[in-house]
Amino acid sequence: QVQLVESGGGLVQPGGSLRLSCAASGFPFSAYAMAWYRQGPDQERELVGNISSGGETKYGDSLQGRFTISRDNAKNMVYLQLNNLKPEDTAVYYCHTWLIRRRDTLKWWGQGTQVTVAS
């Protein structure tokens, strides 16, 4: 049973930093790409970025280099470092993975962790 459990969210002032964590279990973590998404109030869920099984990262265009994704395959963990946070970064942040099969794609999501940026 695939499980993704996010943690590390909270209230932070503008300009502050947070490190989100995602604990993964139930699948061969090191072989899977992972991604972070976020969904702000009254907004659609958007891709923050992803990291391949080999550690290569790609980020959404709007992040301006403030966010960094990393992974620790020995611990089955993926991380999202958020720096220079802005009020518009307020959102629920989700951990995500997927498996592309011949006829369909399996997708798994965590429950999300709330990040609120406010003074």
Side-chain angles (χ1 to χ4, degrees):
Q1 179 180 352
V2 173
Q3 284 194 321
L4 302 172
V5 180
E6 301 95 335
S7 61
L11 174 63
V12 62
Q13 292 186 343
S17 298
L18 280 175
R19 188 195 196 202
L20 307 184
S21 300
C22 173
S25 61
F27 64 102
F29 177 78
S30 63
Y32 279 59
M34 301 294 297
W36 285 95
Y37 280 74
R38 68 181 184 181
Q39 187 167 15
D42 300 319
Q43 295 181 355
E44 294 186 354
R45 193 171 295 189
E46 67 170 344
L47 175 67
V48 173
N50 56 55
I51 185 166
S52 72
S53 59
E56 295 180 355
T57 54
K58 293 182 180 179
Y59 299 94
D61 293 338
S62 64
L63 299 181
Q64 302 175 352
R66 297 182 293 117
F67 295 176
T68 303
I69 298 173
S70 60
R71 65 189 297 160
D72 185 337
N73 288 339
K75 296 181 179 180
N76 283 13
M77 296 289 293
V78 61
Y79 305 101
L80 177 62
Q81 179 68 42
L82 311 173
N83 294 327
N84 190 21
L85 283 161
K86 304 175 181 181
E88 53 264 41
D89 295 319
T90 294
V92 178
Y93 286 73
Y94 296 93
C95 183
H96 172 57
T97 194
W98 62 97
L99 173 63
I100 299 174
R101 305 193 299 186
R102 181 185 299 180
R103 296 184 179 181
D104 60 8
T105 298
L106 300 179
K107 300 179 181 180
W108 296 278
W109 297 88
Q111 82 287 351
T113 186
Q114 175 72 47
V115 172
T116 302
V117 184
S119 55

